[in-house]
Amino acid sequence: MAIYFILLILIFFGCFLFKGKKNKKFLIYTFFLFSLISCLRSYTVGADTSQYYNFFNNIPIDNFNYLSYRYEIFFSYFVYFIKIIFGNAQFLLIITSIFINFSVFRFIYKNSDNFWLSVLVYLFLNFFFKYMNIMRQAISISIILLFFDSLKEKKIFTVPNILSLCRVLDIDDINGTFMGGSSGGILAGLDNSGRRKVMEYIELLH
C-alpha cells in the first residue's frame, strides 16, 4: 500500500514540476511510473493475476491445445508465445502492462485537452489499479483505444468491423462489452429489436 501512496505523491509532484495542461513531459513521466509499478508487481497483486500466472506456468511447450483451457484462443496463444520466447511468467505482466499503459497514454495524448486531469481520472477512478487485475478485459479495452482515431475518422476500423474482428479472434471480452454477451455488456437487457436499432445507429457512423 505504501508504494501507491508514494505514487500519488510523485504524480502530484509532477503536476507542479511539469506545468501546463498539455505538457507531454508530464504524461511521459506519469505513465513511466504507472508502467514501472505494473511491470514489476507480484503475481499476487489482483485476484485474477494469480490465475493468469498459473495458466502461464501450466501451459505445455509441446502439444499445446487452447481447447484444454477456459480462455479465448487469442489470449491463450498470446500467453503461449510469450512462454516460448521468454519462459518467465513475469514477462506476461511486463508485456501486457507496457501495452495497456501505452494505449492509455496514446489515447490521452491524442484526445485530452488536460493531461494532468486525465491522469488523475485514470488513477482516482481506479482504472489503473483495475487494469492490473482484469488483464484480458484491459487488453480488450486497449485495442479499442488504439483504434479510437480510426473510429472517429470513419476508416476501416469502424465499430462493426472491430466487433467482427473480435468474433473471428474469439475475443469475448470486447464483443461481450458491446453486444451484451455478459451481464455487464452495454446492450445487456435489450431485446433483439432494441439491439438491432442500436446496431443500425452504429452503422450510420460509417
Side-chain angles (χ1 to χ4, degrees):
M1 192 67 183
I3 192 169
Y4 301 122
F5 182 70
I6 294 173
L7 172 65
L8 185 60
I9 293 175
L10 290 175
I11 289 177
F12 277 112
F13 173 74
C15 289
F16 292 101
L17 180 63
F18 306 106
K19 297 185 181 298
K21 292 183 177 181
K22 300 193 69 170
N23 192 322
K24 187 178 180 180
K25 291 181 180 179
F26 169 75
L27 204 58
I28 294 174
Y29 166 77
T30 53
F31 274 89
F32 171 77
L33 295 176
F34 288 147
S35 299
L36 184 64
I37 290 175
S38 54
C39 284
L40 299 180
R41 74 186 189 275
S42 168
Y43 70 90
T44 59
V45 176
D48 290 351
T49 306
S50 59
Q51 297 180 28
Y52 300 135
Y53 194 90
N54 291 332
F55 174 52
F56 180 99
N57 289 326
N58 291 330
I59 287 180
I61 297 297
D62 300 320
N63 300 319
F64 171 71
N65 183 357
Y66 86 93
L67 294 174
S68 303
Y69 304 93
R70 56 178 289 233
Y71 301 117
E72 304 85 4
I73 181 174
F74 176 81
F75 182 77
S76 297
Y77 275 102
F78 172 70
V79 175
Y80 174 66
F81 285 125
I82 291 177
K83 180 166 184 175
I84 290 177
I85 296 171
F86 299 102
N88 188 318
Q90 190 65 36
F91 279 96
L92 175 63
L93 304 185
I94 292 172
I95 292 172
T96 54
S97 295
I98 291 174
F99 174 70
I100 292 166
N101 282 289
F102 170 77
S103 299
V104 178
F105 166 87
R106 182 178 180 275
F107 177 80
I108 293 175
Y109 178 72
K110 286 183 169 291
N111 297 280
S112 175
D113 291 325
N114 191 324
F115 291 168
W116 66 265
L117 181 60
S118 297
V119 167
L120 293 181
V121 168
Y122 180 58
L123 182 66
F124 285 115
L125 291 187
N126 211 28
F127 290 111
F128 170 64
F129 301 108
K130 278 288 186 182
Y131 287 175
M132 289 194 290
N133 180 31
I134 53 174
M135 181 186 296
R136 286 156 55 234
Q137 293 86 343
I139 292 172
S140 301
I141 293 170
S142 298
I143 294 173
I144 294 293
L145 293 182
L146 287 178
F147 290 149
F148 187 77
D149 291 332
S150 295
L151 290 171
K152 288 196 304 181
E153 297 170 9
K154 304 177 184 177
K155 294 182 179 178
I156 187 172
F157 292 112
T158 59
V159 171
N161 289 345
I162 291 178
L163 292 179
S164 298
L165 176 64
C166 293
R167 294 190 189 101
V168 172
L169 295 178
D170 193 25
I171 307 177
D172 290 336
D173 291 313
I174 304 180
N175 191 45
T177 298
F178 283 90
M179 298 304 297
S182 63
S183 59
I186 292 172
L187 302 186
L190 295 180
D191 57 20
N192 290 333
S193 175
R195 293 187 182 200
R196 187 166 56 252
K197 289 179 180 179
V198 172
M199 293 308 298
E200 287 174 357
Y201 172 76
I202 291 175
E203 290 286 353
L204 295 176
L205 299 178
H206 276 279

